[in-house]
Amino acid sequence: TMITTSSLFYRKIINSKKELNKFIVINGDSFCNFELLNMVNYHFKNNSSLTIAVSKNDGRNDAGNISIADNKIKNFSEKKGESIYINAGVYVFDSIIFKYVKSKKFSLEYDLIPNLISLDNIVFPFLTNASIFDIGTPERYLKVKNSFNNIFNW
């Protein structure tokens, strides 16, 4: 999304003034409940350029499709058909990615991530069994909210 990537561009400016080597980006139009600290530790353990939270596809065709081989992400295509794994919308980045951020207008999912993978940067999947809830439209948000209300009596 453009908002995410604009934020990344400004983060690049801040990063150049401070010693911030890793950071987290979370999409605002989805919700996935898992232990974020485990993902961050996994990112550090693998010395990854990018770690993406990945879940098994439950039949959706409206999420980023991910192909995994040799425990690395080999292909990422945004909302094109179905695959075994899908993007959960949670990322841990290394600051090395900023050398690929050239302007304020680009897409994280359509431009940056596929570019990192094609240039053989180290992009790892963090596999989670957690469900991904799409809250990107008012209708989908209300559906998830009502489901949570029924489960948790909110």
Side-chain angles (χ1 to χ4, degrees), residues 4-75:
T4 302
T5 55
S6 293
S7 299
L8 274 181
F9 187 79
Y10 291 112
R11 180 74 177 171
K12 177 182 179 181
I13 295 166
I14 293 167
N15 193 63
S16 66
K17 297 176 183 173
K18 296 181 180 180
E19 197 58 39
L20 303 173
N21 295 326
K22 315 281 186 208
F23 60 97
I24 299 166
V25 173
I26 300 174
N27 287 358
D29 63 353
S30 59
F31 174 76
C32 186
N33 187 20
F34 66 91
E35 290 293 327
L36 186 57
L37 183 58
N38 291 343
M39 181 179 175
V40 171
N41 289 335
Y42 180 80
H43 178 82
F44 277 99
K45 182 182 100 176
N46 289 298
N47 195 28
S48 181
S49 298
L50 167 61
T51 301
I52 302 174
V54 173
S55 183
K56 285 214 173 193
N57 192 352
D58 59 2
R60 294 176 56 175
N61 63 0
D62 62 347
N65 297 306
I66 294 175
S67 299
I68 299 170
D70 302 322
N71 199 34
K72 293 180 184 160
I73 295 178
K74 296 298 182 184
N75 190 23

Side-chain angles (χ1 to χ4, degrees), residues 115-135:
N115 190 30
L116 290 172
I117 293 167
S118 72
L119 296 171
D120 288 328
N121 280 280
I122 304 169
V123 181
F124 280 93
F126 177 78
L127 297 173
T128 178
N129 292 322
S131 296
I132 302 168
F133 299 97
D134 183 340
I135 57 173

